[in-house]
Amino acid sequence: MKKLVFTIVLAAICNTIYAQPGSGYARRAIEKKYENEHAADKQKGMDWLNSAMNGKTEDEYKFPISLRMRITSYKDGEPKDENEIDYYLNGNEKYFAARMDDKNAKRKRSVMFMIYDYDNNSTVMIDENEKTYMAMNINAFMSAEAQANRGKQQTDGKYKNDCKKTGKTKTIEGYSCEEYVCIDEDRNRRSEIWIAGKLPIDISQSFMRSPYAYMGTNKMAGMMMEGSFYKNDQIESKMQVVNLNQTANYNVKMSDYKQGMR
């Protein structure tokens, strides 16, 4: 079995995904922001906007694996919100995707399919109802230094996780899992993570350049099936894999969609 490091990366990413509104809202918000910031040099602002909104994509994205994750956030130790996100993965490629259902009653309901493409440095937002997409160039939002350091493991400084196996085991979705506890003393954080180490899949390529990759550790070879995350000994969030499909075989052909979102 190929080894993979898949720790709390998905739990962190889910917060980013659910912060994204549907349809053309993201484009309009970015346009307004840079109209204000580049008021004195409109041409420069327009050049930046064109670069930001014209990210590169693959002709086709293939996702042989899918999983559903349930995310619960807490406030003062009590459950606050619960969401489920579908992730689509390919262990041989440097991209992954997530599907979110925008249920905001103030906007026309849309189903968003988000592809994070690290080879092309793009975030692709697909509106499956309107059959449209927008590809955002990630580099346009990053400094030259940030681009140069992208994908590097940050194991020093403020991110230090000491992870140890507890010896506890349990079965999640039919897979035998072992518990690890990770301590970050500098930030008063603790993570209790359940890892399935014998899954015949390798999805490490999908997340190797994720901005959340610093949370990984080579002490945990396997896939995280459940995790509880604490700050100052009070639970903040919990994730659970509630479905894992190793034969999803979901493919996205970009020619099926028209570029541009309303």
Side-chain angles (χ1 to χ4, degrees), residues 190-225:
R190 182 178 85 255
S191 303
E192 298 172 356
I193 300 169
W194 292 90
I195 301 292
K198 294 185 178 181
L199 286 172
I201 58 177
D202 183 353
I203 59 176
S204 56
Q205 286 292 318
S206 298
F207 293 99
M208 67 176 298
R209 294 183 63 188
S210 165
Y212 303 102
Y214 66 81
M215 301 301 291
T217 168
N218 57 15
K219 294 180 181 180
M220 294 183 290
M223 180 171 178
M224 184 180 70
M225 299 293 288

Short mmCIF file of all heavy atoms in Angstrom, two decimals, residues 190-225:
data_model
loop_
_atom_site.label_atom_id
_atom_site.label_comp_id
_atom_site.label_asym_id
_atom_site.label_seq_id
_atom_site.Cartn_x
_atom_site.Cartn_y
_atom_site.Cartn_z
N ARG A 190 -5.27 20.98 20.88
CA ARG A 190 -5.14 19.53 20.92
C ARG A 190 -6.06 18.92 19.87
O ARG A 190 -7.19 19.38 19.68
CB ARG A 190 -5.52 18.99 22.31
CG ARG A 190 -5.36 17.47 22.44
CD ARG A 190 -5.70 16.98 23.84
NE ARG A 190 -7.13 16.73 24.02
CZ ARG A 190 -7.96 17.51 24.68
NH1 ARG A 190 -7.51 18.64 25.23
NH2 ARG A 190 -9.24 17.20 24.81
N SER A 191 -5.55 17.92 19.17
CA SER A 191 -6.34 17.22 18.15
C SER A 191 -6.35 15.73 18.47
O SER A 191 -5.30 15.14 18.72
CB SER A 191 -5.76 17.43 16.76
OG SER A 191 -5.67 18.80 16.45
N GLU A 192 -7.52 15.14 18.47
CA GLU A 192 -7.67 13.70 18.66
C GLU A 192 -8.11 13.11 17.33
O GLU A 192 -9.22 13.36 16.86
CB GLU A 192 -8.69 13.42 19.76
CG GLU A 192 -8.26 13.99 21.12
CD GLU A 192 -9.35 13.88 22.18
OE1 GLU A 192 -10.47 13.42 21.85
OE2 GLU A 192 -9.08 14.24 23.34
N ILE A 193 -7.23 12.34 16.71
CA ILE A 193 -7.42 11.92 15.32
C ILE A 193 -7.43 10.41 15.21
O ILE A 193 -6.60 9.72 15.81
CB ILE A 193 -6.27 12.50 14.45
CG1 ILE A 193 -6.28 14.02 14.52
CG2 ILE A 193 -6.39 12.04 13.01
CD1 ILE A 193 -5.05 14.66 13.93
N TRP A 194 -8.38 9.90 14.42
CA TRP A 194 -8.48 8.46 14.16
C TRP A 194 -8.04 8.19 12.73
O TRP A 194 -8.61 8.72 11.78
CB TRP A 194 -9.89 7.97 14.40
CG TRP A 194 -10.29 8.02 15.85
CD1 TRP A 194 -10.88 9.06 16.50
CD2 TRP A 194 -10.09 7.00 16.82
NE1 TRP A 194 -11.07 8.74 17.83
CE2 TRP A 194 -10.60 7.48 18.06
CE3 TRP A 194 -9.54 5.71 16.77
CZ2 TRP A 194 -10.56 6.72 19.22
CZ3 TRP A 194 -9.51 4.95 17.93
CH2 TRP A 194 -10.01 5.46 19.14
N ILE A 195 -6.98 7.35 12.57
CA ILE A 195 -6.35 7.09 11.29
C ILE A 195 -6.58 5.64 10.85
O ILE A 195 -6.33 4.71 11.61
CB ILE A 195 -4.83 7.35 11.36
CG1 ILE A 195 -4.54 8.79 11.77
CG2 ILE A 195 -4.16 7.03 10.03
CD1 ILE A 195 -4.95 9.82 10.75
N ALA A 196 -7.09 5.49 9.62
CA ALA A 196 -7.18 4.16 9.00
C ALA A 196 -5.92 3.95 8.18
O ALA A 196 -5.69 4.65 7.19
CB ALA A 196 -8.42 4.07 8.12
N GLY A 197 -5.09 3.01 8.59
CA GLY A 197 -3.78 2.85 7.96
C GLY A 197 -3.71 1.80 6.88
O GLY A 197 -2.67 1.62 6.26
N LYS A 198 -4.81 1.10 6.61
CA LYS A 198 -4.75 0.00 5.64
C LYS A 198 -5.74 0.18 4.49
O LYS A 198 -6.25 -0.78 3.95
CB LYS A 198 -4.99 -1.33 6.35
CG LYS A 198 -3.89 -1.70 7.33
CD LYS A 198 -4.09 -3.09 7.92
CE LYS A 198 -2.94 -3.44 8.86
NZ LYS A 198 -3.10 -4.80 9.43
N LEU A 199 -5.98 1.42 4.14
CA LEU A 199 -6.83 1.68 2.98
C LEU A 199 -6.01 1.51 1.71
O LEU A 199 -4.90 2.04 1.62
CB LEU A 199 -7.40 3.10 3.03
CG LEU A 199 -8.52 3.34 4.04
CD1 LEU A 199 -8.84 4.82 4.11
CD2 LEU A 199 -9.76 2.56 3.68
N PRO A 200 -6.52 0.79 0.72
CA PRO A 200 -5.75 0.55 -0.51
C PRO A 200 -5.83 1.72 -1.47
O PRO A 200 -6.01 1.55 -2.67
CB PRO A 200 -6.44 -0.69 -1.08
CG PRO A 200 -7.84 -0.56 -0.66
CD PRO A 200 -7.80 0.08 0.73
N ILE A 201 -5.73 2.95 -0.97
CA ILE A 201 -5.77 4.13 -1.81
C ILE A 201 -4.70 5.09 -1.36
O ILE A 201 -4.26 5.06 -0.21
CB ILE A 201 -7.15 4.84 -1.76
CG1 ILE A 201 -7.49 5.24 -0.32
CG2 ILE A 201 -8.24 3.96 -2.33
CD1 ILE A 201 -8.79 6.01 -0.20
N ASP A 202 -4.26 5.91 -2.27
CA ASP A 202 -3.25 6.92 -1.96
C ASP A 202 -3.73 8.25 -2.52
O ASP A 202 -3.80 8.43 -3.73
CB ASP A 202 -1.91 6.54 -2.59
CG ASP A 202 -0.80 7.52 -2.23
OD1 ASP A 202 -1.10 8.57 -1.62
OD2 ASP A 202 0.36 7.25 -2.55
N ILE A 203 -4.08 9.17 -1.65
CA ILE A 203 -4.57 10.48 -2.11
C ILE A 203 -3.61 11.60 -1.71
O ILE A 203 -3.97 12.76 -1.70
CB ILE A 203 -5.98 10.77 -1.56
CG1 ILE A 203 -5.97 10.74 -0.04
CG2 ILE A 203 -6.99 9.79 -2.13
CD1 ILE A 203 -7.31 11.12 0.56
N SER A 204 -2.36 11.22 -1.41
CA SER A 204 -1.41 12.24 -0.95
C SER A 204 -1.13 13.29 -2.00
O SER A 204 -0.91 14.45 -1.68
CB SER A 204 -0.10 11.56 -0.53
OG SER A 204 0.43 10.79 -1.59
N GLN A 205 -1.14 12.94 -3.28
CA GLN A 205 -0.88 13.91 -4.34
C GLN A 205 -1.92 15.02 -4.34
O GLN A 205 -1.62 16.17 -4.64
CB GLN A 205 -0.86 13.22 -5.70
CG GLN A 205 0.37 12.39 -5.97
CD GLN A 205 1.62 13.23 -6.13
OE1 GLN A 205 1.61 14.27 -6.77
NE2 GLN A 205 2.71 12.79 -5.54
N SER A 206 -3.15 14.67 -3.99
CA SER A 206 -4.23 15.65 -4.04
C SER A 206 -3.98 16.83 -3.11
O SER A 206 -4.41 17.94 -3.37
CB SER A 206 -5.56 14.99 -3.66
OG SER A 206 -5.90 13.98 -4.57
N PHE A 207 -3.26 16.59 -2.02
CA PHE A 207 -3.11 17.62 -1.00
C PHE A 207 -1.66 18.07 -0.79
O PHE A 207 -1.39 18.84 0.13
CB PHE A 207 -3.67 17.13 0.32
CG PHE A 207 -5.16 16.95 0.29
CD1 PHE A 207 -5.71 15.70 0.09
CD2 PHE A 207 -6.01 18.03 0.44
CE1 PHE A 207 -7.09 15.53 0.05
CE2 PHE A 207 -7.38 17.87 0.40
CZ PHE A 207 -7.92 16.61 0.19
N MET A 208 -0.76 17.62 -1.63
CA MET A 208 0.66 17.88 -1.36
C MET A 208 0.99 19.37 -1.38
O MET A 208 1.95 19.80 -0.75
CB MET A 208 1.55 17.13 -2.36
CG MET A 208 1.45 17.61 -3.78
SD MET A 208 2.61 16.76 -4.87
CE MET A 208 4.18 17.22 -4.15
N ARG A 209 0.21 20.19 -2.09
CA ARG A 209 0.51 21.61 -2.15
C ARG A 209 -0.58 22.44 -1.49
O ARG A 209 -0.68 23.64 -1.70
CB ARG A 209 0.68 22.04 -3.61
CG ARG A 209 1.89 21.41 -4.27
CD ARG A 209 2.06 21.91 -5.68
NE ARG A 209 2.32 23.35 -5.69
CZ ARG A 209 2.37 24.08 -6.79
NH1 ARG A 209 2.17 23.51 -7.96
NH2 ARG A 209 2.60 25.37 -6.73
N SER A 210 -1.39 21.80 -0.69
CA SER A 210 -2.43 22.53 0.02
C SER A 210 -1.82 23.49 1.02
O SER A 210 -0.81 23.19 1.65
CB SER A 210 -3.33 21.54 0.76
OG SER A 210 -4.12 22.21 1.71
N PRO A 211 -2.44 24.66 1.21
CA PRO A 211 -1.93 25.59 2.22
C PRO A 211 -2.09 25.03 3.63
O PRO A 211 -1.53 25.57 4.57
CB PRO A 211 -2.81 26.83 2.03
CG PRO A 211 -4.03 26.33 1.35
CD PRO A 211 -3.57 25.22 0.46
N TYR A 212 -2.83 23.94 3.78
CA TYR A 212 -3.02 23.33 5.09
C TYR A 212 -2.09 22.15 5.31
O TYR A 212 -2.22 21.43 6.29
CB TYR A 212 -4.47 22.89 5.25
CG TYR A 212 -5.45 24.01 5.06
CD1 TYR A 212 -6.15 24.15 3.87
CD2 TYR A 212 -5.65 24.97 6.05
CE1 TYR A 212 -7.04 25.20 3.68
CE2 TYR A 212 -6.53 26.02 5.86
CZ TYR A 212 -7.22 26.12 4.67
OH TYR A 212 -8.09 27.15 4.48
N ALA A 213 -1.16 21.92 4.39
CA ALA A 213 -0.33 20.74 4.47
C ALA A 213 0.58 20.73 5.69
O ALA A 213 1.07 19.68 6.09
CB ALA A 213 0.53 20.62 3.20
N TYR A 214 0.81 21.89 6.31
CA TYR A 214 1.68 21.93 7.49
C TYR A 214 1.10 21.13 8.64
O TYR A 214 1.81 20.76 9.58
CB TYR A 214 1.90 23.38 7.95
CG TYR A 214 0.67 24.08 8.46
CD1 TYR A 214 0.21 23.87 9.76
CD2 TYR A 214 -0.05 24.95 7.64
CE1 TYR A 214 -0.92 24.52 10.22
CE2 TYR A 214 -1.18 25.59 8.10
CZ TYR A 214 -1.60 25.37 9.39
OH TYR A 214 -2.72 26.00 9.85
N MET A 215 -0.20 20.84 8.60
CA MET A 215 -0.80 20.09 9.69
C MET A 215 -0.43 18.62 9.63
O MET A 215 -0.68 17.87 10.55
CB MET A 215 -2.32 20.23 9.64
CG MET A 215 -2.81 21.66 9.75
SD MET A 215 -2.30 22.48 11.27
CE MET A 215 -3.27 21.60 12.47
N GLY A 216 0.16 18.17 8.51
CA GLY A 216 0.49 16.77 8.36
C GLY A 216 1.70 16.38 9.18
O GLY A 216 2.49 17.20 9.63
N THR A 217 1.88 15.09 9.35
CA THR A 217 3.06 14.56 10.03
C THR A 217 3.32 13.17 9.52
O THR A 217 2.40 12.38 9.33
CB THR A 217 2.88 14.51 11.56
OG1 THR A 217 3.94 13.73 12.12
CG2 THR A 217 1.56 13.87 11.96
N ASN A 218 4.59 12.84 9.26
CA ASN A 218 4.90 11.53 8.72
C ASN A 218 4.78 10.43 9.77
O ASN A 218 5.00 9.26 9.48
CB ASN A 218 6.31 11.52 8.10
CG ASN A 218 7.37 11.93 9.11
OD1 ASN A 218 7.14 11.96 10.31
ND2 ASN A 218 8.55 12.25 8.61
N LYS A 219 4.43 10.79 10.99
CA LYS A 219 4.18 9.77 12.01
C LYS A 219 2.84 9.08 11.78
O LYS A 219 2.59 8.02 12.34
CB LYS A 219 4.19 10.40 13.41
CG LYS A 219 5.55 10.96 13.83
CD LYS A 219 5.45 11.56 15.24
CE LYS A 219 6.79 12.13 15.67
NZ LYS A 219 6.71 12.73 17.03
N MET A 220 1.96 9.70 10.99
CA MET A 220 0.63 9.15 10.77
C MET A 220 0.49 8.76 9.31
O MET A 220 0.15 9.60 8.48
CB MET A 220 -0.45 10.14 11.18
CG MET A 220 -0.47 10.43 12.67
SD MET A 220 -1.81 11.55 13.14
CE MET A 220 -1.23 13.08 12.42
N ALA A 221 0.79 7.51 8.98
CA ALA A 221 0.62 7.03 7.62
C ALA A 221 -0.77 6.41 7.51
O ALA A 221 -1.05 5.38 8.10
CB ALA A 221 1.70 6.00 7.28
N GLY A 222 -1.63 7.07 6.77
CA GLY A 222 -3.00 6.57 6.65
C GLY A 222 -3.96 7.69 6.34
O GLY A 222 -3.55 8.78 5.97
N MET A 223 -5.22 7.42 6.51
CA MET A 223 -6.25 8.39 6.18
C MET A 223 -7.06 8.73 7.42
O MET A 223 -7.51 7.83 8.15
CB MET A 223 -7.17 7.82 5.10
CG MET A 223 -8.28 8.76 4.69
SD MET A 223 -9.12 8.10 3.24
CE MET A 223 -10.38 9.35 3.05
N MET A 224 -7.26 10.01 7.67
CA MET A 224 -8.04 10.42 8.82
C MET A 224 -9.52 10.16 8.57
O MET A 224 -10.09 10.65 7.60
CB MET A 224 -7.84 11.90 9.12
CG MET A 224 -8.57 12.35 10.38
SD MET A 224 -8.36 14.10 10.78
CE MET A 224 -9.30 14.84 9.47
N MET A 225 -10.13 9.40 9.45
CA MET A 225 -11.54 9.08 9.33
C MET A 225 -12.39 9.86 10.33
O MET A 225 -13.60 10.00 10.15
CB MET A 225 -11.75 7.58 9.55
CG MET A 225 -11.03 6.71 8.54
SD MET A 225 -11.69 6.86 6.87
CE MET A 225 -13.26 6.01 7.04
#
